[in-house]
Amino acid sequence: MENVVILGGGIAGTSAAEELRKLDVDVNITLVEQEHHPLYSRVILGHYVMGKVPREKVFLKTWEWYENQRIDVMPSVRIEAIDCVNRFVKTSEGRELPFDALVIAAGSELNTIGGEPRGVSYLRGIDDADELIALIREVKMRPKEEQRAVVIGGGFIAFEYINIFAHFNIPCDVVLRGKGFWSHVLSEHAQDVLMKKAKANGLAIHTNVKEFELIGAKNIEGVKLADGTFLPAAIVGVGIGTHPEKSFFKEQGFDVERGILTNEYLETKYPSVYAVGDSAEFFDVLAGRSVCYGNWMNAQMQGRAVAKAIAGERSVFELVSSYSTNLFGLQMVFVGDLDRAAAEETKMIKATGDASVEVFLRGGKIVAAILIGDVSERAAITAQIRENHFLRM
Amino acid sequence: MKLRIVVDPDLCIGAASCVTIASDTFVMNTENKAEVIDHGEAIGASTNERTIEVTEEEKANILLGAQSCPTLAVSIFDENGTQIYPA
């Protein structure tokens, strides 16, 4: 193995590079990254915006680190073609990088809404976080009655926005497509628990909103709902999910469904070509089906796993990944394969006024859990999922 | 050798990656915050800070656990009180 090329410098790609260097001092490692920052933590961006950590603490690596590790990092570069037969990738600079092994760690793309006057905010990366901080500073200088925000969406990033606006005492309206928060993931009971928490904290929630319009020419002035309701806003925080890039990889010859398809070893159909993190759809032996996970822990551990495989330690990828968030301090933990539509069976373990614990099952085995307000069973459920061993058909 | 391991509860978001990697050293409490244990045992009151005796191999794994934290909530200090992570 002479040349390893890694596409994507996020946590998956950087973990692959870091681990590979530990295992092989000689191999040439090239890391191609579209952004222009060293590795940073997307998970800590909310803390950063709220001023709980300084900007420099958001960064997990420095440019010197790549140099010291002899990782040839190419920032602000896109990939234009991947040739898995002749074994090279072509960059936006017109360079051709030959590879013996290739790791695709390209992450996912943000879902966006059209028409974006200034004040419409996304929270994907550090540049977005910097912009949000500037927006909040401007809003806080306006008259009190103009200090208003709207959050569009009811999932992970929407919770971040809600917590951020609450932190800065900016009253906010929340616009949901379904009848509750994260309606395609959460049970009705879980949605009720979150709704209660949200209302107790003064949020105005607008449910079943199928269409809306962003109002404002240069700067955002508010959001107009289909029923005519106008929600004034100086900032609109949008958190409506992400999706992996598909068409580009299909054109390069990969099998792509929800993500680039791999087996339980994270191998694509081409020899020594791997896909990891958000861009991969891998066979999860703990869940019993092919899954796409978009969480930090999964990306990091998959990056590390393929580095081992490239260094000669090939093994089945097994991880019970999870992520965690909160709404006004109400803890939420999501474990395993959380596709409700794909669950064979769901079971409520606890359903009280302020807690909701539910598990998903396949073949009688637990494959996922959603814990809200009571996370005490997390370790026990995780241990149970870890015992699963489904075979690929 | 001895390591002092400290979890900042204000930064910890309960991602539990430290627990996944170094389950002998970290455990989640009922508030969904990581706590530090000593070789699988929580002797005394539960705590977010503990000094424990470790081997080289254990140290490497604990460092991996700390490095896996997406909010840099885990700090590690050596016997002289020098912070070894985040460096």
Side-chain angles (χ1 to χ4, degrees), chain A residues 269-282:
Chain A
K269 67 178 188 183
Y270 298 109
S272 298
V273 176
Y274 304 85
V276 294
D278 292 18
S279 45
E281 178 176 345
F282 73 104

Side-chain angles (χ1 to χ4, degrees), chain A residues 18 22 41 43-44 47 52-53 57 60 296-297 300-301 304 319 322 324-325 331-333 375-376 378, chain B residues 10-17 20-21 28-33 64 67-72 85-86:
Chain A
E18 181 171 22
K22 272 188 212 157
S41 173
V43 182
I44 207 176
H47 282 94
K52 292 182 181 176
V53 294
K57 266 203 91 175
L60 302 177
W296 182 269
M297 193 197 284
Q300 181 176 52
M301 301 303 264
R304 221 177 262 166
L319 173 73
S322 62
S324 185
T325 183
Q331 291 295 325
M332 290 175 248
V333 173
V375 297
S376 56
R378 176 184 191 162
Chain B
D10 291 333
L11 286 179
C12 179
I13 56 160
S17 52
T20 303
I21 292 172
M28 302 307 294
N29 69 16
T30 51
E31 264 92 61
N32 202 31
K33 305 280 182 191
L64 267 184
Q67 285 162 3
S68 76
C69 177
T71 60
L72 267 68
Y85 186 81

Side-chain angles (χ1 to χ4, degrees), chain A residues 230-252:
Chain A
F230 180 72
L231 311 173
I235 308 180
V236 174
V238 185
I240 51 170
T242 63
H243 63 277
E245 166 64 48
K246 292 187 201 172
S247 55
F248 171 76
F249 293 111
K250 262 187 203 157
E251 285 162 21
Q252 312 308 308

